[in-house]
Amino acid sequence: MPRCIPIRDLKDTSAISQLCKEAKEPVFITKNGYNDVVIMSSEMYERMRIYSIYEKLMEAEADVAAGRVSDAFASIKKLEEKYGI
């Protein structure tokens, strides 16, 4: 379950840092009862960034497997002809 803390608790930076390191997901900061900011540890950020890269690679592999690709040189030639380059 995501952690939610009020913005006034950000004063204790050491505790917030520790909370983010221990949490296995982003920590939501609320302001006047509404979500305002999301914070996370740098380790979690790196994992999310790498996961995003893997997702894009999987999509690209699916495109190749489904034949939704074209030759790079042919694509460049089409663009050159289209735009008169």
Side-chain angles (χ1 to χ4, degrees):
M1 180 166 186
R3 298 284 308 250
C4 295
I5 60 173
I7 200 163
R8 70 177 176 273
D9 289 355
L10 290 179
K11 292 176 184 175
D12 188 359
T13 56
S14 295
I16 297 299
S17 176
Q18 189 63 32
L19 175 67
C20 288
K21 288 176 184 173
E22 292 171 355
K24 301 295 182 201
E25 55 194 359
V27 177
F28 292 84
I29 309 300
T30 59
K31 183 176 182 180
N32 297 326
Y34 297 98
N35 284 340
D36 188 46
V37 179
V38 178
I39 58 174
M40 65 182 79
S41 68
S42 60
E43 179 185 341
M44 175 176 289
Y45 175 78
E46 282 299 312
R47 276 192 267 139
M48 289 178 67
R49 193 173 66 83
I50 289 170
Y51 179 76
S52 174
I53 292 168
Y54 281 127
E55 278 185 322
K56 290 175 182 154
L57 287 172
M58 288 175 19
E59 288 175 19
E61 287 179 353
D63 285 342
V64 170
R68 294 186 299 260
V69 294
S70 61
D71 180 64
F73 293 111
S75 296
I76 291 171
K77 186 174 181 172
K78 277 186 193 177
L79 290 171
E80 288 172 343
E81 290 172 357
K82 181 177 180 179
Y83 294 106
I85 299 172

